Amino acid sequence: MADPANTKLGRMLLDEITPVVMVLRTPLVEESCRKNGLSLIEMLAPFSNFNNIDVPVRTASDQPYRLRKFRLRLFYGSEVRQPNIEAAKERLKQVITFSGDKDISELCSDPPDIESLIATSKQELVPSWFQNFNKELIDVVAFSEHEAFDHPVACLVAVSSKDKDPIDKFVDLFNTNQLPPLLNDGAMDPKILKYFLLVHDNQDGMLEKASGILTEMRSTFGANDCRLLCINTSADGTEEHQGTLWASYKNSISNNKQYGCFLNADDIEELRSTMHDFSSKHIIPHMELKIRVLNQQISATRRGFRNQIRNLWWRKGKDDAPENANGPMYTFSSIESQIRVLGDYAFMLRDYELALSNYRLISTDYKLDKAWKHYAGVQEMMGLTYFMLDQSRKDAEYCMENAFTTYLKMGPSGGRNATRCGIWWAEMLKARDEFKDAAGVYFRISGEEPLHSAVMLEQASYCFLLSTPTMLRKYGFHLVLSGDLYRKCDQTKHAIRTYRGALSVFKGTTWSRIRDHVHFHIGRWYASLGMFDEAIKHVLEVLACGHQTKATQELFLRDFFQIIQETGKTYEVLRLQLPVINFPLIKVVFEDHRTYASTAAASVRESLWQSLEEDMIPSLSVMKTNWLESQQKVLPKKYKESNVCVAGEAIKVEISFRNPLQIPISISNVSLICKHSAEFDETESDANGFSIDHQNDKELRAVSNSGEFSLDTSLFTLSEIDISMRGGETILVQLTVTPKIEGSLKVVGVRWKLSGSVVGICNFNSDIIRKKVTKRKKKPKQPVKDNLQFLVIKSLPRLEGVVDNFPKTVYAGDLRRLTLELRNPSKISVKNLKMKISHPRYLIIADQEVMNSEFPTCLRKQESSSESCTQVDAARAASSLFVFPETTAISSETPLKWPLWFRAAAAGSISLYITVYYEMEDESSVITYRTLRMHYNLEVLPSLEVSFQTSPCSSKLQEFLVRMDVINRTSSETFQIHQLSCVGDQWELVLLQPMESVSSLKLLMAGQALSCFFKLKNRRTRQSTEENTFLATSGRADVKLVDGDSTGLYDTYISPFILFHHHERVHQEKQEQGHGGTVDFILISESRSGSDAGVASKSPIWWLIDGPRSVRHDFSAAFCEINLSMTVYNSSEDVVSVRVLTLDYTPAINSATSAASGSGNEVGWHDISHVSEIKVTSDVTGVRAGKAPPSTDSVSPFIWSGTSSTRLNLEPLSSAQVPLQICVFSPGTFDLSNYILYWNLVSSGGHDADGPKVSSGTCQGHSYHIAVLQKE
Amino acid sequence: MIVCVAVVGHQNNPLYIQSFTESDDVLKLHHIVHCSLDVVDERVNNPKKSGPTLNETFLGLLYPTENYKVYGYLTNTKVKFILVTTDLDVRDADVRNFFRSFHAAYVDAVSNPFHVPGKKITSKVFAKRVSGIVQTFGLSSAG
């Protein structure tokens, strides 16, 4: 380590622990000095500091040494006392405030990077005013009685030559009344060295008089102790001095006055020689003398073994003395005081060895006396002496710590001393590069006084920063602590400064809670200082604090808006974090030659459309052969990459906003930022060195008015959207920009307004590109679609297409006629329309004549139906590309309507894609053709499920039996089966049952099933044997299953049927191949919704039998018992009494009254032809094997074995279960319809006047089939 | 009573920090944990006592603040566990036991295939288990 005297602490000690000279003067002296703008002390101060005094000093030892640096501290007599605490506090505060004001300019700059912070040297780092502050703190405890180094060594008595009776004045000045308490109360020797100075103002002339007084003085006070000082020799007051002479000693604020203007060079020389004389000839010899005297005295009384013992003995005896709070009072004459004075004098004269030995001697005494303050003071000095001797670091530290803790132990009275001791201690540690320990000391100094603590904590934090290894986190933490305290004392500027320092620590870390706290408070404090730009910058950092609690988020947001409000300006903030934009979700939809009918169509994958349009649009190679044609068609090469869009057509950009907070926020005026350049050349140059706005550099800017907008509106229009977001919500926003003029357009970014006060801007370009760079490594080819650069070409016709009344949900098999409507809003007409549909199984194009005819009657059989057309249709069906007739060039205002056939082929959800191709009449355009893409989603619900079983008829070779099972799978719909047709010329279909018996049944309720039997004849082979007339009469391949005349039959040979059949066939062949010789049937049914209501009105109850449908039982063992349950539901508003009556005979009696009376007899299983029946069933599946022989007698093959009659009351709109049981004696299939439900309304209180209500009724049982089989 | 436990990743990023006090001194505890990392760094970078303590994961008392004692633990993967307690006389064995079970809980939590290494631990099971360990810590030291 370097010389301790050159360290900071060393210099400090050499400055502070120096002899004190008490100055007494008359008012006239002061007046003379004031002419120069200086007090007497101030005037003398520069000359009481000697850098090279070179005085030989001989203290206790006989070896003299030379003193180089020396300094006197001058104080007025009135100042030599313990300073007023309150005044000192005020002064400290001033120091801090003053330095705070000075720093304000730095507050605007960015906080330094943490790495650079470490690199900076400590001088730069630690604010310089700390030194001033520490000095002020030390001065607070000056002139305490227990330390001798602040006791005046000498007294300088100054009297002006203008004073009357100067000699008396000299005596008067040293009057005890005005002397400081130290001298009066006996803490120090009142007999101190006096030096008499006669100050003469040369402006007053009368030098003779002054010299007269001097001689008088000399005779009175002694020749050596008197001196004449002449000042103000310069008459005009224009003397110039080096500004530094007084500047460093004068700390008052008024700097404008020229100090020492009346002092010429002679005066200054005289001042210098006076002070030099005073110190070298009087003070130093005096001190030397005193040291020698005291040393001898002490050696006599205290040194040596005998004296030690005696001293101990004597001290012991004093133990009983009552303890004073401050310990015993030591007067100047006591041996303890003298030792202390000796030590301090030796210290001041740099004889540290002597000082140390004396301090050691006295320290034990004080300790034994329990004079803690004195003890601590001595320990402190010992520590400093050790330091100055640069030996035994441990001892030095031990002494300092001892002193520090002793001061603290004394309670509040020692606090200030402890502070001083701590500052010295910390400085000592710092001088030895033990910064960590120094920080600990600073931390301990910080006491109750918040302002002191703040400064101390800040100093501690810098120590942490300077320590090795650097303790950054502690640095930050202590800065935050200190900042809080500064803020408590209203030192906002200091608070900001410390927090900014802390911010550099927390900036890059993930300790978000701390970081938010720091940012938020800095922001607030800036706002309180009125520096709103900075405030907003910091508060912005914490806005997107999703991790904080809701209350905190609200607080942050509220304060943010408050700050914004206070500024009264609208701010534009780049990268506003609220709401967050999810970048990968930005999607751009634009239309070049591809146009979309709906947004749903736009979201479909491009490859899907491309495959659909493959053979429709002219291929690229065709385009390229056109190079001879017209040059302007070829795009500038630059724009091969950029997208083409059409003027007047909107570009849609989808952006997803996410609210990271838990509290709702409202966003308004969301719109895109676009850049339009009208000319091609300009953009080309622009595209090379793309320098967008300079907004990147500026994070924040205030906009006065949206002046730039008005310019832009002529080039393009933007859509504006207002949204409000709930907490944590993500909203997809679609924004559009519509260019109006040809040129090039670039979507630069998006802007929005948060809560109507802050404008947020997000620049896509910079952010996306940044992301792309990382992405590009993996995926070199970027989809062109993401590019936000557009080439705007002049407006083109754009067809708008819609399919009218396209159903959302349909039942399977539903056949509808739809209308495609194409509209061309522009003036330019289009031509060469083509259309393609993705799923011809569902949707086909009809003939235009269909438009005019009525549906579905147009499908009915016409008398003059020609079979030849079927072949044409089939051919057309083969190709899915439909070319509109040449005439259908649509121009503006006349929409083209074209019918479509729709059939829901299979259940499930299906997406239909329709694309329409058209060409421009205007050949000159860049784009010669466009496609309109339409997309529809629909849900197909299951409806009728039809299955057929054919088996060859055994009786006739060319005939087949066909069983058709139809089940209604819907939940509510009712269908009427209308017609069954088979496709092809060679087939003939005949119903096996009589028409009447079937027809009424064909109303299929929800969930109902139905079976029908048909006979199928192959006509092709029969044709040779039978007459042609038969063909005509028995119809062809159609069987009508509904009442009515034969004209109601649908013609299955006309376009929709035959086409759909074709596609269905194609579809099925794809699924299962190699299935020759099939017959295709077409079942036509009509929806009859609403018939449910009709049934319900007749009877308030309905019921359901639940039980096994097939049972296997070994009849050789016993008869079979089957348990069933009936659920009865009361759908009326009244309580209904229901009686279930089971009958063991077929109820024929009620057929006339029953609701389902028409079917009463026919319900269930009927054998039509005994012989064929059995054979068919056995042939087909065997499921119905063992059909019971028809019951000719009244005894049924089963009996109801449970209670034959059950009565129950049903609450309104409730259901109940009735257990049923049957006994079966032989295997077979049984119809359990032979029961009756009688019902009557019990509580018919509400008999209305408008008509008698049916209050009772009888219901015939539903058919319920159960198959009982012999168990093998 | 344990007032705070924390898991800090090897880049000194907080992975999990949970305080167990009613009063609103979360920020303070964050600061304390954050500061204690300095001490952990110091201990790790210049191990004065090599030899037996070389492979020791338990770092011992990091530093006493005014009202708290802070203990540290360093796993092999340089993940730090910090424990802040208000008990002024804590047996080292207790703290060791605490850290051992805490380490086990941590290992289980990060073994979850859905946990992203280096990201915050959001597992509720882990939080529940930690609070269980914290509660038993108080009991064992009392008994």
Side-chain angles (χ1 to χ4, degrees):
Chain A
M1 194 184 69
D3 179 24
N6 282 335
T7 60
K8 206 168 146 197
L9 176 63
R11 283 198 302 273
M12 202 198 265
L13 290 179
L14 292 185
D15 275 356
E16 293 303 313
I17 303 181
T18 50
V20 171
V21 174
M22 183 168 70
V23 179
L24 303 169
R25 84 289 187 216
T26 58
L28 283 175
V29 175
E30 195 66 22
E31 194 181 288
S32 307
C33 298
R34 279 287 162 211
K35 289 181 183 166
N36 296 303
L38 298 162
S39 67
L40 178 62
I41 288 183
E42 282 165 354
M43 194 192 269
L44 293 176
F47 309 103
S48 56
N49 196 5
F50 309 98
N51 280 327
N52 195 7
I53 194 168
D54 201 15
V55 177
V57 177
R58 197 170 63 87
T59 53
S61 65
D62 289 332
Q63 193 66 39
Y65 59 94
R66 301 190 84 83
L67 209 57
R68 302 261 165 211
K69 284 178 99 170
F70 193 67
R71 193 182 168 211
L72 291 178
R73 286 186 291 159
L74 305 178
F75 292 98
Y76 288 128
S78 54
E79 287 173 357
V80 182
R81 65 184 73 231
Q82 295 253 350
N84 186 356
I85 306 268
E86 288 308 314
K89 255 189 204 169
E90 201 50 47
R91 211 162 56 238
L92 282 171
K93 203 168 164 184
Q94 267 177 10
V95 170
I96 293 173
T97 315
F98 178 61
S99 59
D101 289 339
K102 238 174 14 189
D103 283 348
I104 194 73
S105 58
E106 294 169 18
L107 290 184
C108 301
S109 59
D110 272 336
D113 196 36
I114 193 68
E115 265 71 38
S116 63
L117 200 64
I118 295 169
T120 50
S121 65
K122 45 181 127 168
Q123 272 75 29
E124 286 176 56
L125 191 70
V126 183
S128 54
W129 57 270
F130 277 166
Q131 226 165 335
N132 295 336
F133 181 82
N134 287 347
K135 188 175 174 304
E136 289 289 343
L137 263 185
I138 288 167
D139 285 348
V140 168
V141 286
F143 305 114
S144 82
E145 51 177 9
H146 74 288
E147 288 157 333
F149 57 79
D150 277 340
H151 294 178
V153 172
C155 181
L156 185 71
V157 191
V159 171
S160 169
S161 54
K162 284 187 286 183
D163 280 313
K164 284 180 184 167
D165 299 330
I167 308 298
D168 289 346
K169 280 270 187 282
F170 278 119
V171 179
D172 280 351
L173 277 177
F174 207 76
N175 198 328
T176 44
N177 292 339
Q178 290 153 24
L179 287 185
L182 275 177
L183 284 137
N184 287 338
D185 60 13
M188 62 175 285
D189 193 350
K191 284 183 288 195
I192 61 170
L193 175 73
K194 293 192 194 75
Y195 192 71
F196 301 95
L197 196 64
L198 183 67
V199 178
H200 176 68
D201 192 342
N202 268 346
Q203 285 181 337
D204 301 333
M206 297 178 294
L207 187 62
E208 297 77 20
K209 184 190 168 193
S211 38
I213 297 166
L214 184 65
T215 44
E216 199 179 339
M217 277 165 63
R218 285 205 167 123
S219 62
T220 318
F221 304 115
N224 288 331
D225 298 340
C226 302
R227 195 178 170 102
L228 175 67
L229 178 67
C230 297
I231 55 169
N232 296 353
T233 315
S234 170
D236 49 2
T238 52
E239 286 294 319
E240 295 284 330
H241 303 280
Q242 313 93 302
T244 52
L245 198 54
W246 281 283
S248 57
Y249 296 93
K250 178 101 178 167
N251 49 12
S252 59
I253 322 294
S254 60
N255 229 350
N256 47 5
K257 188 156 183 193
Q258 182 63 40
Y259 297 129
C261 48
F262 291 102
L263 300 176
N264 64 6
D266 291 343
D267 289 341
I268 287 178
E269 193 46 52
E270 195 168 344
L271 282 169
R272 181 166 290 146
S273 71
T274 305
M275 290 314 286
H276 191 273
D277 258 17
F278 180 45
S279 49
S280 62
K281 292 198 179 131
H282 292 90
I283 290 177
I284 293 174
H286 171 76
M287 286 170 79
E288 278 177 299
L289 184 73
K290 188 134 188 189
I291 286 172
R292 278 199 297 272
V293 169
L294 286 173
N295 196 32
Q296 267 174 10
Q297 210 173 332
I298 287 156
S299 300
T301 53
R302 295 296 304 279
R303 295 256 157 79
F305 186 66
R306 223 176 65 178
N307 287 335
Q308 295 272 11
I309 298 288
R310 201 173 58 192
N311 181 41
L312 266 177
W313 179 259
W314 182 69
R315 301 266 163 201
K316 274 264 168 64
K318 265 172 66 172
D319 266 357
D320 308 328
E323 273 194 37
N324 197 336
N326 282 334
M329 186 66 201
Y330 300 98
T331 54
F332 68 93
S333 52
S334 69
I335 188 74
E336 289 87 358
S337 283
Q338 283 175 351
I339 298 172
R340 173 76 207 217
V341 168
L342 176 59
D344 283 347
Y345 274 31
F347 191 93
M348 287 190 273
L349 290 183
R350 321 274 155 84
D351 190 353
Y352 297 119
E353 301 281 355
L354 181 66
L356 185 60
S357 69
N358 282 297
Y359 288 142
R360 271 201 200 125
L361 189 68
I362 192 72
S363 128
T364 45
D365 289 354
Y366 282 143
K367 198 174 179 182
L368 282 171
D369 288 352
K370 298 194 169 59
W372 295 121
K373 195 169 181 180
H374 292 80
Y375 172 67
V378 169
Q379 285 287 328
E380 198 178 350
M381 288 314 291
M382 271 170 78
L384 296 178
T385 320
Y386 275 126
F387 174 78
M388 294 308 278
L389 283 171
D390 196 16
Q391 64 186 31
S392 180
R393 292 180 180 195
K394 225 174 209 164
D395 282 347
E397 271 164 45
Y398 172 78
C399 287
M400 292 312 279
E401 177 154 21
N402 206 355
F404 187 74
T405 48
T406 312
Y407 275 133
L408 282 185
K409 225 161 45 185
M410 283 166 53
S413 60
R416 281 158 213 294
N417 288 91
T419 306
R420 184 189 64 180
C421 176
I423 291 172
W424 276 338
W425 185 14
E427 285 297 336
M428 198 159 100
L429 291 167
K430 272 157 89 175
R432 289 172 180 168
D433 287 333
E434 288 165 10
F435 286 103
K436 213 176 90 188
D437 296 328
V441 173
Y442 277 128
F443 190 78
R444 285 170 73 180
I445 299 172
S446 60
E448 287 92 41
E449 189 73 25
L451 198 55
H452 296 184
S453 306
V455 183
M456 288 308 151
L457 285 171
E458 197 183 344
Q459 296 193 55
S461 72
Y462 290 122
C463 287
F464 280 122
L465 185 64
L466 293 170
S467 69
T468 42
T470 312
M471 300 182 106
L472 280 179
R473 299 180 193 92
K474 290 205 168 186
Y475 166 67
F477 179 44
H478 284 86
L479 279 179
V480 168
L481 287 179
S482 146
D484 282 343
L485 288 173
Y486 275 130
R487 176 61 194 158
K488 227 182 252 174
C489 308
D490 290 328
Q491 298 287 347
T492 312
K493 286 162 195 165
H494 284 289
I496 292 174
R497 187 172 46 79
T498 51
Y499 261 54
R500 276 157 49 93
L503 194 60
S504 57
V505 176
F506 297 116
K507 213 187 221 164
T509 63
T510 46
W511 293 81
S512 46
R513 193 178 271 271
I514 300 176
R515 201 183 52 225
D516 286 355
H517 166 87
V518 172
H519 269 305
F520 176 61
H521 280 92
I522 294 183
R524 261 175 125 172
W525 295 338
Y526 270 127
S528 71
L529 289 182
M531 301 166 72
F532 294 111
D533 283 7
E534 294 288 313
I536 290 166
K537 208 161 79 187
H538 283 285
V539 178
L540 273 178
E541 297 277 336
V542 299
L543 275 190
C545 50
H547 50 274
Q548 296 277 17
T549 59
K550 202 174 169 185
T552 319
Q553 292 174 0
E554 272 168 1
L555 176 76
F556 285 175
L557 209 60
R558 199 180 57 229
D559 271 47
F560 178 63
F561 289 131
Q562 206 174 327
I563 293 169
I564 295 283
Q565 256 177 17
E566 279 172 40
T567 63
K569 283 186 277 186
T570 311
Y571 272 91
E572 223 170 64
V573 181
L574 198 64
R575 284 191 278 277
L576 179 65
Q577 293 294 304
L578 212 63
V580 179
I581 295 177
N582 296 338
F583 270 109
L585 279 177
I586 290 181
K587 203 184 136 192
V588 184
V589 180
F590 62 96
E591 298 178 330
D592 40 9
H593 60 85
R594 308 161 285 200
T595 62
Y596 301 95
S598 61
T599 49
S603 58
V604 172
R605 263 199 339 273
E606 175 67 21
S607 61
L608 231 151
W609 289 118
Q610 271 173 2
S611 65
L612 187 64
E613 291 166 359
E614 210 167 24
D615 48 353
M616 195 160 72
I617 60 171
S619 65
L620 268 175
S621 59
V622 176
M623 286 275 282
K624 269 181 187 162
T625 53
N626 286 357
W627 67 276
L628 277 175
E629 247 182 57
S630 56
Q631 202 59 37
Q632 57 184 350
K633 264 189 191 174
V634 185
L635 294 175
K637 203 188 170 196
K638 202 103 225 161
Y639 296 106
K640 278 279 150 65
E641 303 99 61
S642 72
N643 307 309
V644 177
C645 69
V646 180
E649 291 178 22
I651 299 166
K652 295 170 189 161
V653 179
E654 279 182 12
I655 300 163
S656 91
F657 285 106
R658 184 169 57 85
N659 180 5
L661 303 182
Q662 294 166 34
I663 43 180
I665 52 174
S666 79
I667 302 160
S668 55
N669 300 32
V670 185
S671 68
L672 292 170
I673 307 170
C674 295
K675 214 182 155 205
H676 189 280
S677 42
E679 300 198 2
F680 291 104
D681 301 344
E682 187 196 320
T683 46
E684 255 172 308
S685 64
D686 209 4
N688 287 332
F690 222 88
S691 57
I692 295 274
D693 284 15
H694 309 292
Q695 291 172 11
N696 279 329
D697 312 331
K698 242 177 148 185
E699 290 208 344
L700 197 74
R701 60 173 183 156
V703 276
S704 52
N705 213 344
S706 56
E708 54 182 344
F709 256 167
S710 55
L711 175 96
D712 287 344
T713 43
S714 60
L715 299 172
F716 52 82
T717 50
L718 297 164
S719 69
E720 282 196 338
I721 297 176
D722 296 350
I723 47 174
S724 67
M725 303 177 82
R726 290 191 304 275
E729 197 179 19
T730 302
I731 288 184
L732 199 68
V733 176
Q734 194 179 60
L735 300 170
T736 60
V737 53
T738 313
K740 287 182 172 171
I741 306 178
E742 290 170 71
S744 97
L745 181 83
K746 185 170 175 62
V747 179
V748 178
V750 65
R751 60 190 294 144
W752 66 92
K753 210 172 202 180
L754 176 64
S755 295
S757 50
V758 190
V759 177
I761 292 177
C762 173
N763 225 327
F764 294 152
N765 203 42
S766 55
D767 293 311
I768 287 179
I769 279 176
R770 196 175 55 216
K771 273 172 188 153
K772 264 186 189 170
V773 166
T774 55
K775 223 194 250 177
R776 195 157 282 176
K777 285 168 192 161
K778 289 176 260 172
K779 233 192 331 182
K781 210 179 164 190
Q782 278 289 315
V784 188
K785 215 176 177 185
D786 284 349
N787 204 338
L788 293 167
Q789 175 89 41
F790 296 96
L791 172 70
V792 184
I793 59 169
K794 73 174 181 187
S795 66
L796 290 174
R798 178 179 177 275
L799 286 191
E800 288 166 8
V802 70
V803 176
D804 287 333
N805 301 326
F806 200 90
K808 283 273 172 232
T809 55
V810 289
Y811 286 102
D814 200 349
L815 180 75
R816 292 188 189 202
R817 186 187 62 186
L818 303 172
T819 313
L820 170 75
E821 196 176 320
L822 293 174
R823 211 178 266 282
N824 183 6
S826 75
K827 298 274 181 240
I828 310 160
S829 55
V830 297
K831 60 179 184 180
N832 283 350
L833 273 78
K834 295 180 214 170
M835 181 159 85
K836 201 172 171 186
I837 294 166
S838 63
H839 291 80
R841 201 179 155 207
Y842 287 83
L843 198 65
I844 51 171
I845 297 149
D847 298 321
Q848 200 170 16
E849 307 90 80
V850 180
M851 275 303 295
N852 306 320
S853 51
E854 197 189 334
F855 177 81
T857 45
C858 64
L859 299 176
R860 302 209 189 259
K861 248 179 201 165
Q862 309 289 318
E863 290 306 316
S864 59
S865 63
S866 62
E867 288 184 32
S868 58
C869 71
T870 42
Q871 299 307 316
V872 178
D873 282 337
R876 201 181 71 190
S879 78
S880 54
L881 180 66
F882 173 74
V883 181
F884 287 91
E886 279 299 321
T887 51
T888 56
I890 33 178
S891 54
S892 60
E893 298 311 313
T894 47
L896 170 68
K897 292 197 176 185
W898 201 272
L900 298 173
W901 288 117
F902 168 80
R903 178 178 164 263
S909 22
I910 182 87
S911 295
L912 294 178
Y913 307 101
I914 307 161
T915 172
V916 177
Y917 167 90
Y918 54 97
E919 285 175 17
M920 311 299 143
E921 290 281 350
D922 182 12
E923 290 282 334
S924 63
S925 173
V926 176
I927 292 174
T928 52
Y929 70 92
R930 299 186 95 173
T931 54
L932 170 66
R933 294 162 170 187
M934 285 176 273
H935 172 229
Y936 290 97
N937 273 319
L938 77 157
E939 181 92 13
V940 183
L941 303 173
S943 58
L944 291 183
E945 196 177 289
V946 185
S947 60
F948 291 95
Q949 282 181 323
T950 50
S951 51
C953 181
S954 59
S955 57
K956 286 174 187 161
L957 204 58
Q958 302 300 332
E959 287 187 7
F960 299 88
L961 280 170
V962 178
R963 192 174 122 240
M964 176 181 75
D965 293 310
V966 184
I967 305 167
N968 187 350
R969 291 286 183 199
T970 64
S971 54
S972 59
E973 287 290 304
T974 303
F975 291 98
Q976 185 171 36
I977 291 173
H978 190 269
Q979 170 185 1
L980 180 73
S981 306
C982 60
V983 182
D985 296 336
Q986 70 269 44
W987 299 105
E988 190 182 305
L989 203 60
V990 178
L991 192 63
L992 278 178
Q993 293 147 296
M995 174 64 87
E996 292 74 30
S997 65
V998 191
S999 59
S1000 63
L1001 245 192
K1002 297 307 175 275
L1003 206 62
L1004 265 179
M1005 305 269 198
Q1008 208 172 7
L1010 167 83
S1011 296
C1012 285
F1013 287 89
F1014 302 92
K1015 200 194 281 176
L1016 185 71
K1017 295 177 191 167
N1018 193 331
R1019 215 151 28 128
R1020 194 57 52 82
T1021 46
R1022 277 165 50 107
Q1023 222 161 13
S1024 55
T1025 54
E1026 304 270 336
E1027 301 99 317
N1028 281 340
T1029 49
F1030 181 80
L1031 269 172
T1033 50
S1034 69
R1036 296 193 309 240
D1038 307 322
V1039 172
K1040 191 162 189 302
L1041 295 170
V1042 74
D1043 289 330
D1045 50 349
S1046 65
T1047 54
L1049 277 178
Y1050 290 106
D1051 189 357
T1052 56
Y1053 287 91
I1054 60 171
S1055 84
F1057 293 115
I1058 195 81
L1059 284 172
F1060 280 126
H1061 172 243
H1062 170 81
H1063 288 299
E1064 197 68 32
R1065 192 142 180 180
V1066 167
H1067 175 72
Q1068 282 179 0
E1069 268 169 19
K1070 268 183 211 158
Q1071 286 187 336
E1072 39 185 292
Q1073 286 159 344
H1075 214 279
T1078 51
V1079 190
D1080 296 324
F1081 295 102
I1082 297 173
L1083 179 74
I1084 299 167
S1085 63
E1086 286 173 354
S1087 172
R1088 284 275 183 274
S1089 58
S1091 58
D1092 264 348
V1095 175
S1097 67
K1098 282 176 185 163
S1099 162
I1101 56 165
W1102 37 276
W1103 66 96
L1104 205 72
I1105 289 184
D1106 203 15
R1109 287 283 176 171
S1110 75
V1111 175
R1112 283 178 181 271
H1113 185 74
D1114 185 9
F1115 285 97
S1116 60
F1119 57 83
C1120 175
E1121 284 188 350
I1122 300 166
N1123 285 318
L1124 304 156
S1125 78
M1126 176 191 279
T1127 309
V1128 189
Y1129 180 74
N1130 176 9
S1131 61
S1132 76
E1133 299 286 318
D1134 300 309
V1135 178
V1136 174
S1137 167
V1138 178
R1139 191 153 66 91
V1140 180
L1141 197 66
T1142 56
L1143 311 163
D1144 286 341
Y1145 55 90
T1146 313
I1149 39 161
N1150 291 320
S1151 60
T1153 56
S1154 165
S1157 61
S1159 61
N1161 223 2
E1162 294 83 11
V1163 159
W1165 198 256
H1166 287 270
D1167 36 0
I1168 295 99
S1169 152
H1170 290 201
V1171 191
S1172 63
E1173 174 85 63
I1174 291 167
K1175 289 215 171 128
V1176 168
T1177 49
S1178 61
D1179 263 351
V1180 174
T1181 50
V1183 173
R1184 289 149 204 272
K1187 162 79 178 89
S1191 53
T1192 46
D1193 51 354
S1194 63
V1195 179
S1196 51
F1198 67 92
I1199 55 162
W1200 294 96
S1201 57
T1203 51
S1204 63
S1205 169
T1206 314
R1207 182 183 283 279
L1208 69 158
N1209 280 353
L1210 272 176
E1211 294 295 313
L1213 303 173
S1214 66
S1215 63
Q1217 286 215 332
V1218 181
L1220 296 171
Q1221 194 184 44
I1222 57 165
C1223 283
V1224 182
F1225 305 108
S1226 62
T1229 303
F1230 306 103
D1231 181 6
L1232 306 184
S1233 64
N1234 48 351
Y1235 60 92
I1236 296 171
L1237 266 76
Y1238 294 105
W1239 58 270
N1240 58 317
L1241 299 176
V1242 175
S1243 60
S1244 51
H1247 261 300
D1248 298 323
D1250 50 73
K1253 243 177 153 181
V1254 184
S1255 63
S1256 68
T1258 313
C1259 291
Q1260 184 67 45
H1262 296 326
S1263 66
Y1264 179 86
H1265 293 281
I1266 185 162
V1268 184
L1269 304 173
Q1270 174 72 37
K1271 201 186 218 169
E1272 303 301 328
Chain B
M1 194 186 89
I2 293 179
V3 291
C4 184
V5 289
V7 180
V8 181
H10 70 107
Q11 285 161 330
N12 288 335
N13 47 328
L15 298 180
Y16 176 83
I17 182 158
Q18 180 63 53
S19 53
F20 298 95
T21 52
E22 281 84 27
S23 53
D24 189 28
D25 51 1
V26 180
L27 185 69
K28 183 166 81 179
L29 291 170
H30 272 246
H31 269 302
I32 287 175
V33 171
H34 188 241
C35 277
S36 64
L37 295 177
D38 265 340
V39 189
V40 172
D41 277 358
E42 197 186 13
R43 293 249 169 123
V44 172
N45 290 336
N46 27 304
K48 285 174 209 149
K49 299 163 281 178
S50 56
T53 58
L54 195 63
N55 291 323
E56 179 68 271
T57 51
F58 178 59
L59 298 171
L61 181 65
L62 294 182
Y63 72 105
T65 63
E66 288 158 88
N67 309 318
Y68 304 110
K69 277 186 156 184
V70 185
Y71 288 88
Y73 184 93
L74 181 76
T75 69
N76 296 329
T77 52
K78 299 267 186 274
V79 172
K80 293 125 197 157
F81 302 149
I82 308 288
L83 163 69
V84 184
T85 174
T86 49
D87 295 337
L88 293 179
D89 49 338
V90 185
R91 282 186 298 153
D92 253 17
D94 277 346
V95 184
R96 273 174 206 274
N97 279 333
F98 169 82
F99 276 128
R100 204 168 296 130
S101 43
F102 190 75
H103 194 175
Y106 167 76
V107 167
D108 287 353
V110 296
S111 302
N112 182 345
F114 297 106
H115 172 78
V116 184
K119 290 275 175 290
K120 292 202 172 187
I121 301 171
T122 51
S123 159
K124 280 176 190 154
V125 179
F126 177 71
K128 203 183 270 176
R129 202 164 146 188
V130 166
S131 62
I133 296 169
V134 165
Q135 271 156 24
T136 52
F137 177 81
L139 292 177
S140 70
S141 68

